[in-house]
Amino acid sequence: MNELFREVLLQAMTGQTCAAELTAEEWAAVYSVACQQSLVGVLWTVAKDKPLPLELAMQWVSEAETIRGLNVLLNQEAARLTRLFAEQGRRTAILKGQANARLYPDPLSRQPGDIDIWVEGGRESVLQLLSSSFNLEGLVSYHHVHLPPTKDGVDVEVHFRPSSGNFNPVTNRRLQRWLEQEILTTKMTEQNFSVPTTRFALVMQLSHIQRHFLAGGIGLRQICDYYLLLKSATNEERREVSALLSSFGLQHGAGALMWVLRDVLHLDKGLMLCQPDSFRGEWMLREVMAGGNFGHYAKRQQQGLWRQFFASKRRRLHIMRFDFWEVFWCEVNFWKTIVHTLPTRIKYRTLSLRNIPR
């Protein structure tokens, strides 16, 4: 990792002073990495007080202000959805993004994506509610419904399961049972939406990071989210989550993540869930920096369709050393999905199913 970028990130996340004086070219390089890692708003909290080149400062502040506006919009939409489902007698919880943003030193600086909202009732009940009460339909996956964008362009995923979970069906059953019980405990925030317990967030987001890392890639934004979750957790909550790692098949991902957090953000040993795993941690950090947010900047993503396909298969074989059974079941899941969705792909003559009505 670029040491200057690391210093700026450390100041943004921890308040540790960035002693280095960066040149115009160095600030441009920091901004470029921030774009790839979806950390433009977070790093602007440091860069705004530095003597940046005028053109870079104008571009950076414009994007940072856009991020602030989007956070306000998504917070409002999350509160609106919470009210709508409450009127139908359904408990809800906002997952990941806007729930995490609350923990940042500047809550409006985190670059938002979509809104993930869990709604109680289970798959069939939630689908029926969306169709009958709200006249909404979308792409249905294992754990959520991806709705069409709202009139303001906000993407919403309504979860009838708390998480996409693991690829390994054995550990996933244990994980999902625990998550489904834990998410029943929520609290209302000052933003007027409910969030799950910190215990839930630590387990669910660790499985999310491990899953995305193995399947394609993960970025520093999710790493920073987890750092703040650990800092906000109590000692008892961290101990309880630590005791669950092996049973839920999360020990390899946790060991890697603890190493990355120690290396990048100097996470204190007392806040860690387990011993850092240098082998897997160095591997994770290399991929995080090379691939950017969710692996979108990885070299394999810049190739043609078939080259991407074969590159992803080579990567999957290689990454089996990270967690054999998770990667094995990831590949099984891939081919099951291909076979299951083949008729739909043929019907609509498309490779992507994201915007196909169901």
Side-chain angles (χ1 to χ4, degrees), residues 271-287:
L271 300 181
M272 292 187 179
L273 299 178
C274 62
Q275 286 295 319
D277 182 335
S278 61
F279 170 71
R280 291 179 174 86
E282 290 175 7
W283 193 341
M284 180 178 280
L285 184 56
R286 283 196 304 270
E287 293 224 2

Side-chain angles (χ1 to χ4, degrees), residues 48-60:
K48 64 184 176 65
D49 297 321
K50 305 296 182 180
L52 302 180
L54 180 60
E55 184 176 352
L56 177 60
M58 293 297 291
Q59 183 174 354
W60 206 332

Side-chain angles (χ1 to χ4, degrees), residues 27 30 93 103 118 130 171-172 174 185 191 213 217 219 242 301 306 337 348:
W27 274 117
V30 168
L103 305 176
W118 169 80
L130 290 173
T171 59
N172 187 52
R174 299 186 199 123
T185 303
Q191 290 82 12
F213 171 70
S242 178
Q301 301 293 353
W306 287 108
T337 302
Y348 289 96

Side-chain angles (χ1 to χ4, degrees), residues 211-261:
R211 183 185 181 95
H212 277 283
F213 171 70
L214 295 175
I218 201 74
L220 277 178
R221 180 176 59 170
Q222 288 71 35
I223 306 294
C224 290
D225 287 350
Y226 210 83
Y227 171 80
L228 294 171
L229 279 173
L230 285 170
K231 291 195 69 175
S232 69
T234 65
N235 289 333
E236 182 181 0
E237 287 169 331
R238 288 189 292 269
R239 283 196 300 268
E240 290 171 345
V241 172
S242 178
L244 297 169
L245 296 178
S246 180
S247 176
F248 292 167
L250 300 175
Q251 65 273 30
H252 294 321
L257 185 55
M258 294 307 106
W259 187 93
V260 172
L261 288 170

Side-chain angles (χ1 to χ4, degrees), residues 110-126:
R110 183 188 184 276
Q111 192 161 323
D114 55 16
I115 292 176
D116 292 271
I117 182 169
W118 169 80
V119 179
E120 72 170 337
R123 186 181 190 277
E124 296 308 319
S125 177
V126 170

